């Protein structure tokens, strides 16, 4: 075939076959990604699910023990001011900034009542 003298029909056929090739490859790529995603999901649910479930109950069980050992201060009605207990203002500001950043809640929408050093 002489590519210097292509007719309009020949040029359209070449263009259409190129487009079809690209779309067929994209569909195959989508199928491969979906299959790999499902396989990885099944592997994570069988291997990762058992490993993640074991530490979760252990953390809440150990948390009440130190709290029960230490007597709590008597609770007073909140007067709208931040109470810092064994904590300096710089550390409290860092804690508030980290909480605001991690939760994506602006500082002016958060209410901190008490920050206590453990």
């Amino acid at each position: 075939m002489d590519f210097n003298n292509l007719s309009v029909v020949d040029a359209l056929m070449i263009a259409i076959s190129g487009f079809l090739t690209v779309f067929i490859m994209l569909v195959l790529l989508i199928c491969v990604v979906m299959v790999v995603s499902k396989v990885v999901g099944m592997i994570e649910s069988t291997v990762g699910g058992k490993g993640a479930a074991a530490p979760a109950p252990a953390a809440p069980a150990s948390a009440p023990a130190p709290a029960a050992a230490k007597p709590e201060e008597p609770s007073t009605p909140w007067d709208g001011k931040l109470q810092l207990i064994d904590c300096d203002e710089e550390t409290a500001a860092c804690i508030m900034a980290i909480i605001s950043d991690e939760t994506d809640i602006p500082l002016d929408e958060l209410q901190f009542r008490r920050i206590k050093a453990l």
Side-chain angles (χ1 to χ4, degrees):
M1 176 181 272
D2 184 20
F3 291 109
N4 291 330
N5 296 326
L6 283 179
S7 67
V8 174
V9 175
D10 289 336
L12 286 176
M13 292 303 290
I14 292 172
I16 290 173
S17 66
F19 283 124
L20 284 176
T21 303
V22 168
F23 284 118
I24 290 171
M25 290 297 138
L26 286 174
V27 169
L28 287 174
L29 183 63
I30 289 171
C31 292
V32 168
V33 168
M34 288 174 51
V35 168
V36 169
S37 174
K38 288 186 181 191
V39 169
V40 169
M42 289 178 6
I43 291 171
E44 283 184 351
S45 67
T46 58
V47 175
K50 293 178 183 174
S62 64
K70 263 185 158 177
E72 278 291 319
E73 293 93 20
S75 62
T76 59
W78 188 50
D79 59 355
K81 295 180 183 176
L82 175 63
Q83 297 175 355
L84 298 179
I85 303 171
D86 299 330
C87 180
D88 61 322
E89 290 182 4
E90 184 178 340
T91 304
C94 289
I95 291 170
M96 291 187 286
I98 290 169
I99 290 173
S100 175
D101 184 59
E102 290 291 323
T103 60
D104 291 329
I105 300 173
L107 273 174
D108 61 342
E109 293 180 13
L110 291 172
Q111 287 185 353
F112 294 93
R113 295 182 180 202
R114 181 184 311 167
I115 297 178
K116 180 180 178 181
L118 298 177

